[in-house]
Amino acid sequence: MRPQFSIQDAVRLARELYGLEATAVSLPSDRDQNFRLTAVSGSQFVLKIAAANEERDVLDLQKGGHGPPAPHANPGPCLPDVIPALTGQTIPAIHGSQDETYLVRLVTYLPGVPLAHVNPHTPDLLRDFGRFLGEVDAALQDFRHPAMDRYLHWDMRHAADTITRHLDYQTDPDRRALVARFLAEFEANAAPRLPQLRRSVIHSDGNDYNVLVTADMKQPRRIAGLIDFGDMVYSCTVFDLAIAAAYVMLDKADPLAAAGHLAAGYHAALPLTELELELLYPLILMRLCTSVVMSAYQQTLHPDDPYMVISQKPAWALLEKLADVPLDLAHYRLRAACGLPPVPQTAVIAHWLSTYQSSFAPVMAGLDRARVLDLSVGSQEMGSPADFNDAPKLARRVQQLLDEAGAAVGIGRYDEPRLIYTADFFRTASGERRTIHIGLDLFAAAGTAVYAPLTGVIHSVADNAVPQDYGPNLILAHQTDDGETFYTLYGHLSRASLDGCRVGQIVYEGEPIAALGDRGENGGWPPHLHFQVIVNLLGLDGDFPGVAPASQRDVWRSLCPDPNLIVGLPAHLFPPPELPKAEILQRRRSHMGKSLSISYREPLKIVRGWRQYLYDEVGRPYLDVVNNVCHVGHSHPRVVKALSDQAASSTPTPATSTKPSSTMPSGCWRRCRRRWRWCSWCAAAARPTNWRCGWPAPTPARRM
């Protein structure tokens, strides 16, 4: 029976049991009843009245979580202390209105703000939460208590049973089907391996209302404490991380990134095993499923209690967002967040490919006369972003560069950030644009033959007939000598060349398998082959991405190692790697004074300006609202031409000049405060007829 004591009862109990003169405020809870007490001295406490059926041994177990749980425990975590009653008891008993018995505890009140009320959840804060939780679990590793191995329906060892028994309380058939799908996957892949996980006493309820953050708004904010040990139980240690992750992922644009920050902090304090990392994401899904079905059940018992459904709406939104996330991709992202190789088998496959590279057949003729092209964000070779987003113009420019070099094949680089992917499907669910090219492009004439570089089996034949997609494409499956499977993808082919291809068909090394398609059938691109190596298809088959988001760059490079391991183009064809940001910063500090400060803790590396945006090295756009850029825009063609003409035909005007250069378009200057400047007065009107210089009207700035 849940306690039903009033605030006046709480004030009386504080005085009678603990000698405290205090005011009381009711706090939300699930099974028990909690009151925050403020004593005359200003000290604060929490009076906890357990449900009538709660066992004393279980409450005594929870004492192990208040204060240092073991003599050797790390004193860092801030946990509440138990205050004994006037009688010396730590768990005195009281009687209710119907003479039922309730057990009472008084613990210190931890100051802070619940994580649920903190915004934003910065990566630093989430990593600190993970570190904090890892330290608590590390401190509890050797803690033992007679009541620790109890049955609790929230214990994730029983998640499958709990969900099955309460699933019908969810009345929406689509949502019930989604939970049933997650449950079936869990029971098939994860549940049989739970007995292999390490175990210890865990907090078991690290939800965002039980985690406290420092009240000071000054960044970086830190974790201030952990409360409510009512679900403390002996179970699988990694459950604590999975439970906390399920809550920090709520209402996030990229939920797995949030889980990754949490896991990284936890792993630093208490290293996760390979199996724990592999099962972490399925366990997160099970906690979310348990939460929504139990909320539906408890809502039938307490229809007027908002606490029962406090997380139901965001939890459903999160489950629906995660429905399309491949289990393996989530696993790889969590591994990467913890500083581990994202895809464990990639190193073995890459080594095998490197060993046998010289024996592979050429994927296309003419590779001995290849010219590497620059399609990167900052490329000057292809012109402006408007130029390389114009397919016919891009095709002409590629052919011009090949002709000038006497090359037969143009090479578009692997792991190259690009701005050319503008279709809506290149935007991730979190809103991030995919910009990192994770294949190798081989530009040649339409109809050029494509060959199998090594023996394999046709895994899929598809035609992604959407602008900027692959068009007709083919995936072959291969195996290393040790039986590791990997795949090669061939995109932008001709439809006719795939007529004889069928799934399961064996193709041999050096055998022609397809031909390049033209722009009318290959997704609208200049004729080329997109060639990609894939370690795990993630169940995506013919719709496997060829471009990755920059935030997941390491994961996708691990999933799709460099195709040049097969193609074998010599290193001298490629430009040297760009300087990393750390080295650029070091050079900057060495050659520039401190008065030229940097505004960001993580400095930006800007490689291109175009219209109202600046772009960093991975193609991430930043809206530029400094000075007159918002009127004229970066790289305006008339400005570029005027500057180019001036540089080519005359000595640059000194910086102290008070007159405009005669080579600038007329009407673009005006006298203002004894100096000349751009005519922002006409540009500000943003009407084409008001551009007295005759330039095209600017694209209105948009919020990013």
Side-chain angles (χ1 to χ4, degrees):
M1 180 183 297
R2 193 181 183 202
Q4 298 292 329
F5 289 87
S6 67
I7 288 177
Q8 292 75 19
D9 292 331
V11 170
R12 175 180 57 80
L13 291 171
R15 182 174 58 252
E16 293 176 356
L17 295 176
Y18 299 97
L20 279 177
E21 294 294 335
T23 58
V25 176
S26 180
L27 298 174
S29 182
D30 183 1
R31 300 187 303 274
D32 53 12
Q33 197 173 12
N34 296 328
F35 297 91
R36 185 178 68 204
L37 304 178
T38 303
V40 175
S41 64
S43 299
Q44 292 188 310
F45 306 88
V46 176
L47 183 71
K48 302 176 71 65
I49 305 174
N53 59 349
E54 198 74 80
E55 299 177 8
R56 182 179 292 272
D57 281 351
V58 172
L59 299 183
D60 190 65
L61 164 67
Q62 296 170 29
K63 283 168 51 183
H66 296 94
H72 64 279
N74 188 329
C78 189
L79 307 173
D81 293 321
V82 178
I83 307 299
L86 295 174
T87 61
Q89 294 177 294
T90 55
I91 310 177
I94 61 172
H95 295 286
S97 58
Q98 299 180 12
D99 205 33
E100 64 276 24
T101 300
Y102 297 96
L103 300 176
V104 180
R105 291 158 295 157
L106 186 71
V107 299
T108 54
Y109 177 81
L110 295 182
V113 180
L115 182 63
H117 296 163
V118 173
N119 188 26
H121 290 177
T122 65
D124 285 345
L125 179 60
L126 294 178
R127 279 190 289 268
D128 192 54
F129 178 16
R131 173 204 57 78
F132 181 97
L133 192 61
E135 289 179 357
V136 171
D137 283 348
L140 289 168
Q141 286 291 292
D142 298 326
F143 175 71
R144 298 293 182 269
H145 189 281
M148 66 184 186
D149 200 10
R150 60 185 175 130
Y151 180 85
L152 188 70
H153 63 246
W154 282 106
D155 181 358
M156 291 184 63
R157 288 181 296 176
H158 314 303
D161 179 61
T162 299
I163 293 169
T164 300
R165 287 190 291 109
H166 297 91
L167 183 56
D168 287 342
Y169 289 98
Q170 175 50 243
T171 56
D172 186 302
D174 292 335
R175 288 181 165 180
R176 191 166 59 245
L178 180 61
V179 172
R181 193 197 97 191
F182 283 136
L183 177 60
E185 291 173 350
F186 178 80
E187 290 185 311
N189 302 313
R193 292 187 287 173
L194 294 185
Q196 302 171 40
L197 294 171
R198 60 178 164 177
R199 300 191 178 195
S200 63
V201 173
I202 58 174
H203 177 274
S204 192
D205 193 16
N207 74 66
D208 46 3
Y209 283 88
N210 287 340
V211 180
L212 302 179
V213 178
T214 51
D216 188 353
M217 296 292 290
K218 184 178 179 181
Q219 296 291 348
R221 299 181 76 171
R222 303 293 300 272
I223 299 300
L226 183 65
I227 60 175
D228 191 355
F229 287 78
D231 288 345
M232 202 170 179
V233 67
Y234 182 78
S235 196
C236 300
T237 308
V238 73
F239 289 173
D240 246 1
L241 176 58
I243 292 164
Y247 289 98
V248 303
M249 292 168 73
L250 298 175
D251 299 317
K252 299 295 191 301
D254 188 349
L256 279 170
H261 296 313
L262 184 80
Y266 189 97
H267 185 67
L270 182 62
L272 294 158
T273 67
E274 290 283 342
L275 182 59
E276 285 172 336
L277 267 170
E278 187 178 348
L279 298 187
L280 178 56
Y281 180 65
L283 290 169
I284 292 170
L285 293 175
M286 282 301 95
R287 176 62 181 205
L288 289 167
C289 290
T290 302
S291 178
V292 295
V293 300
M294 288 303 296
S295 291
Y297 165 67
Q298 290 171 338
Q299 194 173 8
T300 64
L301 302 179
H302 308 283
D304 299 324
D305 190 343
Y307 185 79
M308 298 302 171
V309 292
I310 196 167
S311 294
Q312 190 170 10
K313 185 176 180 180
W316 274 119
L318 177 56
L319 280 170
E320 288 161 0
K321 178 179 280 192
L322 298 177
D324 295 328
V325 175
L327 290 174
D328 284 343
L329 179 59
H331 174 212
Y332 299 154
R333 290 189 64 183
L334 292 169
R335 286 180 59 88
C338 292
L340 299 172
V343 186
Q345 67 268 35
T346 295
V348 173
I349 293 171
H351 176 73
W352 186 86
L353 291 173
S354 180
T355 301
Y356 290 98
Q357 182 187 78
S358 60
S359 66
F360 298 144
V363 72
M364 185 184 291
L367 292 176
D368 55 338
R369 294 185 295 116
R371 202 268 200 196
V372 173
L373 305 172
D374 183 1
L375 297 167
S376 68
V377 175
S379 173
Q380 298 301 311
E381 191 171 83
M382 296 296 169
S384 71
D387 293 330
F388 53 67
N389 279 301
D390 182 328
K393 186 177 289 188
L394 178 61
R396 290 194 297 270
R397 180 57 178 159
V398 168
Q399 191 58 52
Q400 178 187 355
L401 292 171
L402 295 183
D403 291 343
E404 290 173 355
V409 177
I411 306 298
R413 291 176 291 176
Y414 166 77
D415 193 33
E416 182 177 59
R418 299 174 176 178
L419 294 180
I420 62 178
Y421 306 111
T422 57
D424 287 342
F425 64 82
F426 286 110
R427 192 180 294 277
T428 67
S430 66
E432 180 183 5
R433 281 280 179 190
R434 293 189 282 133
T435 60
I436 309 299
H437 184 244
I438 49 176
L440 197 67
D441 285 338
L442 305 178
F443 290 87
T448 300
V450 176
Y451 302 89
L454 64 163
T455 298
V457 176
I458 296 179
H459 178 82
S460 72
V461 182
D463 187 355
N464 301 1
V466 176
Q468 294 197 351
D469 209 325
Y470 288 131
N473 66 90
L474 191 66
I475 294 179
L476 304 184
H478 313 274
Q479 280 195 339
T480 67
D481 295 339
D482 296 328
E484 289 283 357
T485 300
F486 66 96
Y487 305 86
T488 52
L489 182 151
Y490 309 78
H492 311 300
L493 307 173
S494 72
R495 291 192 177 92
S497 67
L498 295 184
D499 286 345
C501 296
R502 65 181 188 280
V503 173
Q505 175 183 343
I506 298 176
V507 294
Y508 295 96
E509 179 180 315
E511 179 182 341
I513 54 174
L516 299 188
D518 60 30
R519 200 166 64 246
E521 61 183 343
N522 74 355
W525 300 100
H528 73 285
L529 171 69
H530 174 89
F531 179 60
Q532 187 170 336
V533 178
I534 304 168
V535 171
N536 184 335
L537 280 172
L538 306 174
L540 301 176
D541 291 347
D543 199 28
F544 193 91
V547 186
S551 64
Q552 302 172 35
R553 190 175 192 172
D554 289 344
V555 173
W556 287 93
R557 286 194 306 186
S558 186
L559 261 171
C560 303
D562 190 349
N564 205 36
L565 290 168
I566 292 176
V567 177
L569 294 168
H572 70 79
L573 290 179
F574 296 89
E578 294 184 358
L579 291 176
K581 281 200 290 189
E583 186 171 344
I584 294 174
L585 277 173
Q586 182 57 44
R587 293 188 182 190
R588 189 182 194 280
R589 295 187 183 105
S590 300
H591 297 286
M592 301 180 72
K594 293 183 179 180
S595 60
L596 297 172
S597 61
I598 295 176
S599 301
Y600 299 93
R601 182 169 55 180
E602 179 64 31
L604 306 179
K605 181 183 177 183
I606 300 298
V607 299
R608 179 182 282 278
W610 175 246
R611 294 184 174 174
Q612 67 269 42
Y613 299 118
L614 295 172
Y615 294 90
D616 67 12
E617 76 278 17
V618 296
R620 186 180 293 110
Y622 297 85
L623 184 63
D624 190 349
V625 293
V626 177
N627 206 352
N628 293 319
V629 169
C630 50
H631 302 314
V632 178
H634 290 285
S635 304
H636 194 294
R638 290 289 298 273
V639 176
V640 171
K641 184 178 186 305
L643 292 173
S644 176
D645 290 347
Q646 176 175 306
S649 63
S650 65
T651 303
T653 304
T656 56
S657 173
T658 58
K659 293 184 178 181
S661 166
S662 60
T663 60
M664 289 295 179
S666 60
C668 285
W669 298 89
R670 69 182 176 89
R671 187 84 173 183
C672 178
R673 297 182 183 176
R674 299 183 181 179
R675 63 189 178 91
W676 294 92
R677 58 183 291 182
W678 290 106
C679 60
S680 58
W681 61 276
C682 69
R687 294 197 300 270
T689 56
N690 279 2
W691 284 84
R692 298 189 178 182
C693 58
W695 293 3
T699 300
R702 295 177 297 170
R703 290 187 178 182
M704 294 301 291

